[in-house]
Amino acid sequence: MQLMRIGQAGQETPVVVDGERYFDASSAVTEFGGDFGPRFWAEGLPKLQSLVELGQLPPFDAEGKRIGAPIASPQAVICIGLNYTDHAAEAGQPIPTNLVTFLKHPGTIVGPNDPVGILPGSEKTDWEVEFGFVMGKRAHALASPEEGLAAIAGFTLVNDVSERAFQNLTPQWGLGKNMPSSTPVGPKVVTADSIDTSNVGLRTLVNGELRQDGNTSKMIFDVGTIVYKLSQYMTLEPGDIVSTGTPAGVAMAGTHPFLTAGDVVELQGDGLGSQLSLIHI
């Protein structure tokens, strides 16, 4: 099952996608997130699947409509850095022995095809295709990575847009990770039973030219281990988004120029759909 939010910003309709068919889920749920989020991710997914199978959701016409981020207002966006062997190498960093983490403000989330802005004074705006997931259960002090994997509701595509000069102003990366519209998410959340997390191809194209061509098989910490390890230090709640790091091929490596106004960034994730963002000032 796939979940989308479609419509103008702030007026999105929750939509379920089953194959090529789109269904309006607003009669069953108010949102895939927001205040309703924790209860939905913990309890509502099986109900929604049942309504689809019973034909009790009306069809939805998605043609020509804006696609919003598939999750509304998560309470937390937790990101993992340096989590691919090839990306750690291009950054000149040793392989981490524990999670490198930082937070993004939920207000930075935009839809997968919404414009991405460059802040005044920015000279090193970078792309980062990432495999993201949404928590389905509360996770605290879990006993194993298997428990961590079982706590995930679904998976999505994330662009962790970063300003490298700002990021490197301090030992903490937050100054370069929280610009407005710096976290395109979506187009959809694919439920956890539909994805082989160990083999998801991830690609970035800038102005039609391939920049990143990676695979989750090169992740240092897999998704179950990420949840397990995070849960030793914090409590993850249903609806929280975790973005699991980027493969090699970012501009920071020095092989490609940073983003400028007018560039078009396309992200692709196997089974997750694609994003297309115009860069503007």
Side-chain angles (χ1 to χ4, degrees), residues 111-130:
N113 305 323
D114 289 343
V116 171
I118 294 178
L119 284 179
S122 168
E123 297 179 350
K124 295 184 177 181
T125 298
D126 208 347
W127 57 84
E128 293 190 75
V129 63
E130 304 203 0

Side-chain angles (χ1 to χ4, degrees), residues 174-185:
L175 295 181
K177 296 288 190 176
N178 285 282
M179 304 84 69
S181 68
S182 65
T183 318
V185 176

Side-chain angles (χ1 to χ4, degrees), residues 9 22 26 46 94 99 117 176 198 234 241 257:
Y22 290 69
S26 58
L99 300 179
S198 67
M234 63 182 74
I241 297 176

Side-chain angles (χ1 to χ4, degrees), residues 156-216:
T156 191
L157 194 60
V158 178
N159 190 356
D160 173 26
V161 179
S162 305
E163 212 301 335
R164 303 301 189 180
F166 298 168
Q167 175 180 329
N168 293 325
L169 286 172
T170 66
Q172 300 294 325
W173 295 354
L175 295 181
K177 296 288 190 176
N178 285 282
M179 304 84 69
S181 68
S182 65
T183 318
V185 176
K188 56 193 175 184
V189 168
V190 180
T191 51
D193 57 353
S194 304
I195 292 283
D196 175 6
T197 64
S198 67
N199 184 28
V200 178
L202 301 169
R203 293 165 294 279
T204 301
L205 296 88
V206 178
N207 301 326
E209 296 183 0
L210 187 65
R211 295 288 190 259
Q212 292 180 279
D213 188 7
N215 192 287
T216 56

Side-chain angles (χ1 to χ4, degrees), residues 3 8 16 19 24 44 46 71-72 98 141 146 150-151 157 168 174 184 186 203 210 222 249 256 266:
L3 309 179
Q8 294 303 308
V16 176
D24 185 339
I71 304 143
N98 202 350
E146 290 73 23
L157 194 60
N168 293 325
R203 293 165 294 279
L210 187 65
D222 62 37
H256 302 291
E266 181 179 359

